[in-house]
Amino acid sequence: MTRIFYATDIHGSEKCFGKFLNAAKFYKASILILGGDITGKVMIPVIENSTGGWTVNWLGTHYEPGSEEELLDVEKKIRFSGYYPFRTTKPQMDELSSDEKKLDQVFSQLMIRTLERWMKLAGEKLKPQGVKCFISGGNDDRLDIKPVLKSSDYIIDPEDEVVYVDEHHEMITSGYTNITPWNCPRDIPDEDLHKKIVAMADTVRNMDGCIFNLHCPPYDTGIDTAPELDKDLKPKTRSGQSSEIPAGSKAVRQNIEKYQPLLGLHGHIHESRGEARIGRTVCLNPGSEYGEGILRGLIIDLGDKGIKSWQFTTG
Amino acid sequence: MLVSNLGTKKDLPEIFVRKSSGITRTIRPVDAFLLNCGVMALMFGLYMYSVNVGFFSNVDVKLALIVSVLLMTPQVLTYSLFTAAMPRSGGDYVFISRSINLPVGFVANFVMWYTQLMWIGLAASLVSPTGVSVAFATAGFVLKDPNLSNLAGTFVDPLWSFVVGSIVIVGAGLALIHNVRTLFRLQNALYIIAIIGTIPLVGLLAFSSREYFVSQFNTYMAPYLNMADSYSYIIQQGQNAGLSFSGGSVYVLLSVVVSWVFFTGFAYFTNYSAGEQKGAHRFKVNFASMFGSLIFSAGLVLVIAWLLERVAGHDFIASIFYLYTTGAVPELPIAPYAGLFAGLLTDNPIVVWTLNIGIIAWTVLLAVVIYMMLTRIMFAWSFDKLFPKWISDISPRFKSPVKATITTIVIGELFLAAYILIPSLSMYIMSGFFLAQNAYVWLLTGVAAVVFPTRKKELYESGPKHEIAGVPLIRIAGLLTVAQCLFNLYFLLSDPNLGVNTPFAIGYSLIFMPVLGIVVFYIAKTYRKRQGIDIGLAQSEIPPE
């Protein structure tokens, strides 16, 4: 039997990443899969003042760390919440406030630096345990993180490839999704996503044991339900209530219907935790609550004849 | 390190956000406020006023309501702080599971679920006698139509109470099956109707005199009692039955305070859907929606109770409700609730129907708002493998939890039948409901709040801290909640007038309900173990370092 632990959409939360690494030991899993959207969205400036001290405004609280140790403690708290602490000065802050391009570069640097540290940590923790770990990007992750994932000597970035998770089960992976209202780095038209999936699926040797690790859930399956947004990206309401629509990919659904793999692992829509069946394929979305430092996940036990069991976790 | 919770310094930018996806929470604070107000529905508050004033006629029940609001403030504080620390759907199930352990969290939540199923039956059973019947009675009086008056009597009949209650339970369930949005539409429509109906209720009571009320009541009762001054007769009969209208002890007053908790203790229901609520990680937002609804709902009841006593008189209201409930004056045709008294004060049929349809809407609303919470609880258990998977199935056709809803309908119907067919048993069920809530749900949540900053130090410290003299506010609130529950339990178990200290009620609520929860938990645990699933893992927190 192979036990997989799957989580997704941790969006830069160092607390969730730490939990993800520890999940192997905690749940006795031999395979870890992190399904995409691993980088953060928010940067918290840690500002050096004229006297050499530091000030931070974060979650409605004003901090003035009195020592390097206290500063590191505040920065750790920020990282644990899924934000990037960024040591800066007031003049640099002013510059970033008015220069979107420069701000973008700082974000990229922070993401890459964080991910490099994470990859190192993952190797140190998981290598001695002999745990196989797959980490790929999602639609929210910039393409410049790919070299970092690929350069790791232990972590496997399985995207756009067919990999074996164990000797019986192959896996195809894509972090790309159909177009979202935010036009994220890996948003592509459904037709292009279809081509990507087919290119991998056609080379799978044993579809009966195959896992489709596709960040985007299949369309209209109940695990892709998201608030309908207006042109200002605010949730639409009808009769005073939030309007919800299926936001998954038709290409993903169509290919699951066609190829009928053993298992579909999905994420992307945080609030749509659940399971769905398309023919023989079990499709699972563990959801995400990274903002609260909660690691939503799935323990999946695979036997020789298929899925033995699966269990949602809230770690 | 200098740390200030008094707000960030405005000259410093707090964050930079990159272009990315992300909107998850859809319930606005105002929705949360309305949902909590729906649970604390006006008509139930006025029903509790009638019960309290009838059975505790020698104390000021309005003063007791104010004290009850103060008494429940720590509970609201505890739930607000817990929700901010763990802004996830599931409420006390999550708080207690995390802070104490999963079995205790499940049993507390199981008791909550079970009691709310009883509540659906109870709320539905009240629609006919307190809503429909009163509507026909006052309409019959105003329109001078004996057929309508006779219909009023019909709807007090147990069979019709069951039929009307079933329509409410099944109707709300079908709305949820059709679509979650349909249920919310129904809820919103009921709110609008209820609020429109409340306007004439308040207006009629505010602008009528005692003399006019007495005259109208005497006219209304003339066919039933065959006397000119039924108003004075009712008060006299009340006194003959042993009622006194003043001189109650502090103990009696505090008993009424506890009785009011049945109404004031439910201002926190949005914590069950906190994962979908905007700003749920902010204590102030949670406190505003919970405490705001407590103040609003209790305030509305207080105002109407004061107006009722101004117009109809405290002694009269106490007497008529006591006499009707005990059957001492069998000639009283229908339940003497606020709607009846207000309805007698107008001769305009439109006003009467507006008022009464509003009252019916309030009573229906009471049953409807529970549905979402019950199905969410079953979903959470099903995800955690504590309930069968089929419970959380979403119908491909309706995109709604059909099986969970049908389960709720069936059990709700059983409680409705029990409540109507065996009134004595149902009284115990109702009392047991309250006892179990105090002993297992609120008390354990209070204990969880006390231990939370220590047992889950990292989780506590990762969020915004609220402390008083270095002591976590959640710990203080938890301690006060425990004290409040013990206070409630003392009165519930010592005062026979609260109807709980019977062997049946105690056995049913303090032993049967939690034991049933424990049995369900260990059956699930054993069954899943055979499948190779350890349900203890579902909520266990992985160390992050």
Side-chain angles (χ1 to χ4, degrees):
Chain A
M1 188 189 80
T2 299
R3 173 165 286 188
I4 296 172
F5 178 73
Y6 171 77
T8 182
D9 296 84
I10 63 169
H11 288 281
S13 166
E14 194 144 313
K15 191 174 188 180
C16 286
F17 187 70
K19 288 179 175 186
F20 173 74
L21 297 180
N22 288 337
K25 201 171 176 184
F26 196 79
Y27 297 129
K28 298 182 177 66
S30 56
I31 292 162
L32 294 182
I33 301 171
L34 189 55
D37 281 3
I38 50 182
T39 52
K41 305 173 181 185
V42 178
M43 179 174 88
I44 307 290
V46 178
I47 304 163
E48 187 175 14
N49 57 36
S50 54
T51 58
W54 300 90
T55 54
V56 185
N57 278 334
W58 178 53
L59 287 181
T61 304
H62 177 75
Y63 295 87
E64 286 185 19
S67 64
E68 180 68 13
E69 195 185 358
E70 285 182 355
L71 176 61
L72 289 172
D73 188 51
V74 174
E75 288 181 329
K76 184 180 157 190
K77 276 187 178 182
I78 293 170
R79 282 195 197 95
F80 264 39
S81 298
Y83 307 143
Y84 296 121
F86 174 58
R87 292 191 189 191
T88 184
T89 58
K90 186 79 174 61
Q92 193 184 7
M93 286 283 303
D94 294 338
E95 194 184 353
L96 292 176
S97 300
S98 57
D99 190 337
E100 208 172 302
K101 206 174 167 189
K102 274 214 165 114
L103 181 64
D104 227 38
Q105 284 169 353
V106 170
F107 258 117
S108 279
Q109 282 168 12
L110 287 169
M111 286 174 197
I112 288 168
R113 220 179 293 156
T114 302
L115 210 52
E116 283 170 346
R117 198 161 44 76
W118 282 13
M119 293 303 104
K120 191 168 171 271
L121 187 68
E124 287 167 2
K125 277 213 169 184
L126 300 176
K127 204 170 183 175
Q129 299 174 49
V131 173
K132 230 178 191 180
C133 181
F134 299 92
I135 299 178
S136 49
N139 69 313
D140 237 345
D141 296 320
R142 293 179 179 179
L143 293 170
D144 50 8
I145 67 157
K146 201 155 181 67
V148 183
L149 292 174
K150 286 286 180 198
S151 66
S152 171
D153 59 356
Y154 192 75
I155 303 303
I156 303 159
D157 175 7
E159 187 159 51
D160 294 330
E161 292 176 18
V162 181
V163 297
Y164 275 90
V165 294
D166 65 10
E167 55 188 11
H168 302 295
H169 300 95
E170 292 161 274
M171 180 169 80
I172 68 166
T173 300
S174 180
Y176 286 81
T177 67
N178 49 328
I179 303 289
T180 69
W182 296 274
N183 285 314
C184 294
R186 298 185 202 208
D187 285 2
I188 53 175
D190 233 10
E191 305 80 60
D192 296 350
L193 182 54
H194 171 76
K195 284 176 195 162
K196 276 182 171 290
I197 297 169
V198 169
M200 289 183 282
D202 277 348
T203 61
V204 169
R205 291 183 180 174
N206 175 21
M207 194 53 77
D208 286 350
C210 185
I211 299 167
F212 275 22
N213 175 24
L214 305 174
H215 186 62
C216 191
Y219 179 76
D220 200 16
T221 46
I223 59 171
D224 69 324
T225 309
E228 186 180 6
L229 304 178
D230 62 17
K231 59 179 173 43
D232 300 318
L233 303 180
K234 288 185 176 159
K236 277 187 184 175
T237 54
R238 285 182 189 161
S239 310
Q241 297 301 326
S242 171
S243 172
E244 294 183 329
I245 51 164
S249 156
K250 289 178 180 168
V252 170
R253 179 168 186 142
Q254 185 192 334
N255 282 294
I256 289 175
E257 283 170 348
K258 178 184 166 191
Y259 290 102
Q260 288 286 284
L262 176 68
L263 175 66
L265 295 176
H266 312 279
H268 187 44
I269 313 285
H270 301 182
E271 60 274 50
S272 211
R273 183 187 199 214
E275 58 194 67
R277 234 176 224 283
I278 299 177
R280 72 179 282 271
T281 308
V282 174
C283 298
L284 303 169
N285 176 0
S288 172
E289 287 192 61
Y290 74 93
E292 283 76 49
I294 294 159
L295 184 67
R296 293 260 194 202
L298 274 161
I299 300 168
I300 303 144
D301 287 339
L302 297 180
D304 296 342
K305 293 175 184 169
I307 306 169
K308 282 190 76 179
S309 66
W310 67 87
Q311 181 179 13
F312 288 91
T313 60
T314 304
Chain B
M1 172 164 47
L2 176 69
V3 178
S4 163
N5 271 326
L6 300 174
T8 54
K9 296 201 172 173
K10 296 298 178 196
D11 59 327
L12 299 174
E14 199 170 344
I15 59 168
F16 283 114
V17 184
R18 74 177 169 99
K19 193 183 169 193
S20 61
S21 63
I23 283 181
T24 54
R25 295 169 189 267
T26 54
I27 298 177
R28 298 165 300 172
V30 68
D31 298 327
F33 169 79
L34 287 174
L35 194 137
N36 289 330
C37 288
V39 179
M40 297 177 65
L42 173 67
M43 279 310 127
F44 183 66
L46 292 176
Y47 169 77
M48 285 306 299
Y49 166 75
S50 302
V51 171
N52 286 331
V53 83
F55 286 88
F56 302 92
S57 58
N58 56 1
V59 293
D60 185 349
V61 301
K62 302 187 297 307
L63 174 64
L65 174 57
I66 295 168
V67 178
S68 184
V69 168
L70 296 174
L71 183 74
M72 296 316 288
T73 303
Q75 181 216 46
V76 167
L77 199 57
T78 299
Y79 274 93
S80 303
L81 288 161
F82 248 146
T83 304
M86 301 182 219
R88 298 175 41 204
S89 296
D92 29 51
Y93 176 52
V94 176
F95 309 151
I96 301 171
S97 297
R98 282 286 165 117
S99 306
I100 303 176
N101 62 38
L102 180 61
V104 174
F106 176 76
V107 171
N109 202 228
F110 181 86
V111 169
M112 183 69 195
W113 174 74
Y114 188 92
T115 52
Q116 292 308 311
L117 281 171
M118 295 198 300
W119 180 242
I120 281 197
L122 172 67
S125 75
L126 290 174
V127 174
S128 189
T130 67
V132 181
S133 169
V134 172
F136 282 114
T138 47
F141 175 70
V142 170
L143 300 170
K144 304 201 175 6
D145 183 341
N147 292 327
L148 288 176
S149 300
N150 291 339
L151 269 177
T154 305
F155 280 102
V156 184
D157 183 76
L159 175 67
W160 279 102
S161 291
F162 182 77
V163 170
V164 172
S166 296
I167 291 170
V168 171
I169 290 176
V170 176
L174 289 178
L176 180 57
I177 285 173
H178 180 258
N179 196 310
V180 173
R181 207 185 301 150
T182 308
L183 185 78
F184 274 120
R185 278 181 183 158
L186 175 66
Q187 183 184 301
N188 290 353
L190 286 168
Y191 255 121
I192 291 166
I193 296 167
I195 287 165
I196 290 172
T198 305
I199 296 167
L201 174 72
V202 174
L204 288 168
L205 292 172
F207 297 106
S208 301
S209 67
R210 173 78 58 89
E211 291 70 30
Y212 183 62
F213 174 80
V214 172
S215 153
Q216 288 292 90
F217 181 76
N218 287 338
T219 309
Y220 170 70
M221 283 303 293
Y224 303 103
L225 287 175
N226 290 318
M227 62 179 68
D229 190 4
S230 302
Y231 181 85
S232 301
Y233 171 77
I234 292 291
I235 297 173
Q236 186 59 52
Q237 287 301 306
Q239 286 171 327
N240 293 347
L243 290 186
S244 60
F245 303 119
S246 62
S249 65
V250 173
Y251 180 86
V252 176
L253 181 75
L254 294 178
S255 276
V256 185
V257 168
V258 173
S259 175
W260 270 119
V261 174
F262 212 160
F263 171 67
T264 57
F266 298 92
Y268 64 91
F269 261 46
T270 38
N271 81 98
Y272 294 102
S273 50
E276 299 153 59
Q277 191 191 320
K278 280 183 192 171
H281 62 287
R282 287 182 188 271
F283 157 67
K284 284 177 190 169
V285 171
N286 300 327
F287 190 72
S289 73
M290 293 184 197
F291 191 66
S293 60
L294 176 62
I295 293 290
F296 175 79
S297 300
L300 196 55
V301 170
L302 203 61
V303 167
I304 294 174
W306 181 78
L307 290 173
L308 274 170
E309 290 185 14
R310 192 190 68 82
V311 171
H314 167 272
D315 301 354
F316 169 77
I317 297 169
S319 299
I320 195 169
F321 189 80
Y322 182 81
L323 296 171
Y324 177 80
T325 310
T326 56
V329 178
E331 294 86 356
L332 287 169
I334 63 155
Y337 295 117
L340 173 67
F341 300 146
L344 296 177
L345 297 170
T346 178
D347 52 8
N348 184 327
I350 295 170
V351 173
V352 164
W353 282 114
T354 308
L355 163 75
N356 285 311
I357 290 172
I359 288 172
I360 295 170
W362 275 116
T363 53
V364 175
L365 190 63
L366 199 58
V368 169
V369 292
I370 310 293
Y371 261 93
M372 287 298 285
M373 173 255 198
L374 285 171
T375 50
R376 273 177 172 84
I377 285 179
M378 286 191 274
F379 258 58
W381 294 345
S382 178
F383 272 124
D384 290 351
K385 305 280 183 187
L386 287 158
F387 256 34
K389 187 198 150 294
W390 59 261
I391 285 278
S392 62
D393 283 352
I394 298 288
S395 157
R397 183 176 169 197
F398 296 107
K399 314 280 184 219
S400 65
V402 172
K403 290 168 186 170
T405 309
I406 290 173
T407 305
T408 305
I409 290 173
V410 170
I411 303 176
E413 281 287 306
L414 290 175
F415 279 116
L416 171 67
Y419 195 78
I420 286 171
L421 298 176
I422 319 169
S424 57
L425 174 68
S426 52
M427 210 46 208
Y428 291 135
I429 289 176
M430 184 171 157
S431 308
F433 162 98
F434 192 30
L435 193 56
Q437 284 274 352
N438 268 284
Y440 296 108
V441 185
W442 301 339
L443 185 70
L444 287 172
T445 302
V447 172
V450 172
V451 301
F452 170 64
T454 314
R455 285 178 64 94
K456 293 291 161 190
K457 194 168 180 225
E458 198 179 85
L459 183 57
Y460 169 71
E461 288 186 344
S462 67
K465 283 186 191 171
H466 300 276
E467 295 181 343
I468 295 177
V471 181
L473 184 58
I474 193 167
R475 177 166 285 163
I476 297 168
L479 267 174
L480 290 171
T481 301
V482 170
Q484 165 245 309
C485 288
L486 294 175
F487 173 85
N488 291 346
L489 287 169
Y490 169 74
F491 279 91
L492 287 169
L493 295 173
S494 69
D495 187 349
N497 292 316
L498 290 170
V500 183
N501 65 347
T502 63
F504 179 88
I506 291 169
Y508 180 68
S509 51
L510 294 188
I511 299 169
F512 173 75
M513 281 190 220
V515 167
L516 186 62
I518 291 167
V519 168
V520 169
F521 180 83
Y522 282 100
I523 288 175
K525 187 175 179 177
T526 308
Y527 178 74
R528 295 300 183 190
K529 201 172 178 184
R530 283 186 193 158
Q531 294 180 323
I533 296 170
D534 177 1
I535 55 173
L537 293 177
Q539 295 281 339
S540 300
E541 189 169 1
I542 311 168
E545 289 182 294

